[in-house]
Amino acid sequence: MMIKTIHKWCALLLLATLTACASHQRMAGTKISSTGSSKSSDASEVAAPLRFVQQVADQRLYQKDIVADMTFRIKAGKLDQNLPGALRMRRDEVIRLQIFIPILGSEVGRLEFTPDYVLVVDRIHHEYIKADYSKLDFLRDNGLDFYSLQSLFWNQLLLPGTQRVSEADLARFQADLSGNGATVPVTYTQGQLQFCWEADRNLSRILSAHVSYQSAKHGTSSLVWKYADFQPLGVKFFPATQSFTFTTNATGTPQQGTITLNLGRLGTDSKWDARTTLSSKYKKIEATDVFDKFILLQ
């Protein structure tokens, strides 16, 4: 049944972002202890990792909007389905995924993240959820941060609890240049959150991000976000294939799922509304009740 599939992909995407991108506001003020080095250390050895991190950060795009057609594939348990869709992102305002009926092209589901709320729209039953992050127990407990999620979609480094990574922040990341492999790990740890980005040694592009979160209440959750098929967008490049696999014990039962976005016709069109407006025929559903059903994949 199509709506059951929509519920499942909403749940899985929410789980991926909630459990892996958790960043409570209290963590934003956590002091990071610097790694001391002796005065006799070779300055070049200290500078080289920072230069690499700067090169990685310099790959970020500066466009305000990214739009694309999308093939959305979801794999979880026995579910393995491809659906057409669209991705619309406006920096610091919205991340929107739309799912369409194959061939007909009518929208059947929409998932929209903004800095202030999450919106899930069921076009088939004319129902929707619109709730502040703090009003959803599961979201609040895992501290979902819109800007962390945005950085993952935009193929950028991130710092939990901050809107963007500044030039001064780059010294907080560690790049291990000691190996000879094709990629360089760039790491950052804050409290129970651990991040590891694998960046191309020559091109400095982020090829994957591995995030793990240790929660006393929800157990361990992890997310591996992979990027491929880099396409030109302006003077830089954007990954037209993004795949994220996550595991979580947040529901009390181990769950794993993979979502793959294959993007086509990448563009920077700005002629679209950043906020979804629904007519009076749509019924608002209590967020906690429906979200629990989504999480349980019922």
Side-chain angles (χ1 to χ4, degrees), residues 205-224:
R205 293 175 186 163
I206 296 174
L207 302 180
S208 69
H210 186 181
V211 189
S212 61
Y213 177 59
Q214 185 71 37
S215 167
K217 183 175 182 179
H218 296 302
T220 301
S221 300
S222 66
L223 168 69
V224 178

Side-chain angles (χ1 to χ4, degrees), residues 16 19-22 152 155-158 160 173 184-190 192-199 206-214 220-227 243-248 256:
T19 59
C21 305
L152 288 167
N155 189 230
Q156 299 175 176
L157 297 173
L158 68 91
F173 297 89
V184 173
V186 177
T187 58
Y188 174 77
T189 300
Q190 181 171 306
Q192 297 167 315
L193 276 168
Q194 294 183 327
F195 296 84
C196 180
W197 295 267
E198 291 288 340
I206 296 174
L207 302 180
S208 69
H210 186 181
V211 189
S212 61
Y213 177 59
Q214 185 71 37
T220 301
S221 300
S222 66
L223 168 69
V224 178
W225 200 300
K226 296 182 179 180
Y227 307 93
S243 177
F244 35 105
T245 299
F246 55 93
T247 58
T248 180
Q256 183 173 8

Side-chain angles (χ1 to χ4, degrees), residues 55-289:
Q55 291 168 357
V56 172
D58 286 343
Q59 303 305 310
R60 64 183 179 272
L61 285 89
Y62 295 98
Q63 285 85 352
K64 180 70 173 178
D65 297 89
I66 295 180
V67 299
D69 294 338
M70 175 179 73
T71 297
F72 180 98
R73 184 181 184 186
I74 179 173
K75 294 182 66 177
K78 296 181 180 179
L79 179 65
D80 186 353
Q81 189 164 1
N82 287 286
L83 296 167
L87 175 68
R88 299 286 183 270
M89 300 192 295
R90 181 163 294 163
R91 187 182 295 277
D92 297 335
E93 293 188 45
V94 67
I95 299 167
R96 178 185 300 154
L97 292 97
Q98 299 165 261
I99 299 299
F100 304 140
I101 297 175
I103 302 177
L104 297 178
S106 301
E107 183 180 280
V108 292
R110 176 176 296 203
L111 178 59
E112 188 168 284
F113 292 96
T114 78
D116 303 314
Y117 62 81
V118 177
L119 175 69
V120 182
V121 180
D122 171 0
R123 297 289 191 189
I124 294 178
H125 294 107
H126 298 100
E127 296 175 343
Y128 73 97
I129 304 167
K130 184 177 182 180
D132 183 282
Y133 297 109
S134 64
K135 293 180 181 179
L136 292 170
D137 291 344
F138 192 86
L139 292 169
R140 184 184 62 244
D141 293 344
N142 284 274
L144 172 63
D145 182 272
F146 168 81
Y147 298 104
S148 295
L149 176 60
Q150 176 175 259
S151 295
L152 288 167
F153 270 101
W154 285 68
N155 189 230
Q156 299 175 176
L157 297 173
L158 68 91
L159 285 173
T162 63
Q163 186 168 343
R164 57 180 48 85
V165 177
S166 68
E167 186 71 21
D169 289 328
L170 297 178
R172 300 166 70 177
F173 297 89
Q174 302 293 322
D176 184 0
L177 299 172
S178 61
N180 296 316
T183 61
V184 173
V186 177
T187 58
Y188 174 77
T189 300
Q190 181 171 306
Q192 297 167 315
L193 276 168
Q194 294 183 327
F195 296 84
C196 180
W197 295 267
E198 291 288 340
D200 187 287
R201 187 178 294 272
N202 296 319
L203 299 175
S204 304
R205 293 175 186 163
I206 296 174
L207 302 180
S208 69
H210 186 181
V211 189
S212 61
Y213 177 59
Q214 185 71 37
S215 167
K217 183 175 182 179
H218 296 302
T220 301
S221 300
S222 66
L223 168 69
V224 178
W225 200 300
K226 296 182 179 180
Y227 307 93
D229 189 22
F230 283 79
Q231 300 292 325
L233 196 62
V235 297
K236 297 187 179 180
F237 291 81
F238 186 78
T241 298
Q242 300 191 21
S243 177
F244 35 105
T245 299
F246 55 93
T247 58
T248 180
N249 293 312
T251 62
T253 302
Q255 295 193 52
Q256 183 173 8
T258 298
I259 291 173
T260 300
L261 309 180
N262 290 308
L263 307 177
R265 297 201 298 178
L266 280 169
T268 58
D269 177 35
S270 61
K271 296 179 180 179
W272 53 280
D273 294 329
R275 294 292 182 270
T276 295
T277 301
L278 297 173
S279 69
S280 58
K281 68 181 180 180
Y282 280 83
K283 177 183 177 181
K284 186 175 182 180
I285 305 300
E286 287 299 321
T288 52
D289 293 343

